[in-house]
Amino acid sequence: MPLYKYRAVSASGDMLEGEMDAPSSANVAERLAEMGHTPVRAEEAGSAATKKFDLSEFFSLRRGINRRDLGLLTRELSTLLHAGIPLDRALEILATIVEKKHLRDAIERILDQVRGGDTLADAMASRSQDFPHFYTSMVKAGEVSSALDQVLERLADFLERSQAVSESVRSALVYPIILVIVACISLVVLLTGVIPQFQPMFESAGQALPLPMAVLVGVADILGSFWWAFLIVIIGGIALLRRALAQPESRLKFDAAVLRWPLIGGLVRKIEAARFCRMLSTLLHNGVAMLPALGVTRDTLNNLALSEAVDRAAASVKEGRGLSRSFAEEDVLPHLALSMIRVGEETGELERMLDQVADIQERDVQRTVGRLLALLVPALTIGLGLLVAVVIVTLLSAILGVNQLAF
């Protein structure tokens, strides 16, 4: 039976830490609850999550709070508040739980502001690099409605689902990216390390090289002599692209072009539709009015072209049109999603329908990614393999020609 390390809060508000043998973390939480404690975290002893030294944090250039940490923080804060622990004490407990320094510093600063009289939303809004606008807007709605623990619980659900979709897409792309990198390294090694070894033999033969081999030798010479120039061009190109995308007009044109790309554009639409519907449902569940909810939801979308479309649809809603009708005029949501939203408006169950649309889109993203990889990986394997084979065959043909051997 695995050993779990747990952290819990006693009925008196004291932090408890210990170890427990249990089949799963859920059993640990149940036992702690039976003992009258509020479980905060239960992790298997020796797992990567319990280690003090975090390589990803050490090498990371971004010091803000990432979505995974923000989701965990939100879940734990919701649990503590639901147990009846005051906000300042809950934040104090969280500051002792977290292991990442930048996360602990952020919580301590928020705690100081809350104790100074600020609301939790205002304290978080002052750290916009850590807490997005939609996050602080929902926290503010929770404080106004005196249901902060419930709002944080829904926020945690949203962040965890959003993170799960993003991680599934990134994980699926790991193998194709590694495949491309290995193939590129193989080509560079062949051109800069292997071909130059045969150049003296070609020159001493006194024969004109076949055109394919002459091209390879020329490319090898250029790479060997001006490799630094290629690095400068690559790094400079990336820097220029990042700078251009930082401009709203350029970013809008780029995002609009992405939506027109074959296969990729459809996948981006599904990911954004899932995020839009999940966030809008969460806001409406928390009592936020439709127009403010649409404004907050817009900030959760990564594609600026779709964000602009949401703005236009929101303007149409403001004029009195229904949500489904307004979005039908904009190419944002799939037809199935629009139909379900229309049903939700007619039956008064819009929030539930939005949740179902998000579930459908998330499952569709998983299937789409699977199909794309089923096509992409073999295509990359064959294409890159052929490219390496062409280089090798060209080299061998030149060697055989120099030695006047026939195939």
Side-chain angles (χ1 to χ4, degrees), residues 154 279-288 350-352 355:
R154 294 193 182 106
M279 188 73 250
L280 184 59
S281 171
T282 302
L283 290 167
L284 295 178
H285 268 301
N286 292 327
V288 180
L350 180 58
E351 295 90 341
R352 186 172 67 85
D355 276 331

Side-chain angles (χ1 to χ4, degrees), residues 44-268:
E44 189 171 350
S47 66
T50 62
K51 294 181 180 178
K52 295 291 183 182
F53 184 71
D54 189 345
L55 285 175
S56 63
E57 180 183 7
F58 181 77
F59 287 108
S60 177
L61 297 177
R62 183 182 183 275
R63 309 314 301 169
I65 302 177
N66 59 42
R67 285 293 180 95
R68 181 175 57 186
D69 290 337
L70 186 58
L72 181 61
L73 170 66
T74 306
R75 179 70 66 189
E76 292 174 347
L77 182 57
S78 171
T79 301
L80 294 172
L81 294 178
H82 188 70
I85 298 174
L87 177 60
D88 59 341
R89 176 57 180 156
L91 291 171
E92 184 180 353
I93 291 172
L94 284 180
T96 63
I97 291 176
V98 298
E99 298 171 353
K100 295 183 178 180
K101 184 179 183 302
H102 66 276
L103 184 57
R104 183 169 58 252
D105 291 343
I107 296 173
E108 289 175 349
R109 291 192 183 97
I110 290 173
L111 176 59
D112 290 340
Q113 290 182 250
V114 169
R115 285 176 172 170
D118 288 344
T119 64
L120 179 61
D122 290 339
M124 289 179 169
S126 67
R127 298 186 58 83
S128 58
Q129 73 275 18
D130 294 324
F131 301 95
H133 175 62
F134 78 86
Y135 190 99
T136 55
S137 296
M138 286 194 62
V139 170
K140 190 171 187 177
E143 289 180 306
V144 171
S145 61
S146 300
L148 183 58
D149 57 336
Q150 299 175 17
V151 170
L152 289 173
E153 183 178 0
R154 294 193 182 106
L155 257 176
D157 290 338
F158 168 77
L159 291 170
E160 289 167 359
R161 286 176 177 270
S162 178
Q163 182 67 21
V165 173
S166 299
E167 287 183 353
S168 67
V169 174
R170 285 197 295 265
S171 299
L173 294 176
V174 167
Y175 179 69
I177 291 174
I178 292 176
L179 185 63
V180 172
I181 292 174
V182 170
C184 291
I185 292 175
S186 301
L187 285 172
V188 171
V189 170
L190 283 173
L191 293 173
T192 61
V194 177
I195 290 179
Q197 301 296 323
F198 292 92
Q199 281 187 258
M201 181 180 67
F202 296 145
E203 294 172 355
S204 63
Q207 298 179 2
L209 291 175
L211 179 60
M213 191 62 205
V215 172
L216 287 181
V217 170
V219 172
D221 288 339
I222 294 174
L223 284 177
S225 302
F226 301 101
W227 58 268
W228 51 269
F230 283 94
L231 286 180
I232 292 176
V233 170
I234 293 173
I235 296 173
I238 293 174
L240 289 175
L241 179 61
R242 289 173 61 89
R243 184 176 180 180
L245 293 180
Q247 303 298 323
E249 293 182 359
S250 300
R251 175 66 182 275
L252 180 60
K253 293 179 181 178
F254 177 81
D255 286 350
V258 168
L259 296 177
R260 294 191 294 270
W261 291 354
L263 301 179
I264 301 299
L267 180 61
V268 170

Side-chain angles (χ1 to χ4, degrees), residues 1-4 20-31 44:
M1 189 174 294
L3 179 67
Y4 286 87
M20 183 183 298
D21 292 319
S24 67
S25 59
N27 293 106
V28 175
E30 291 177 2
R31 293 185 190 178
E44 189 171 350

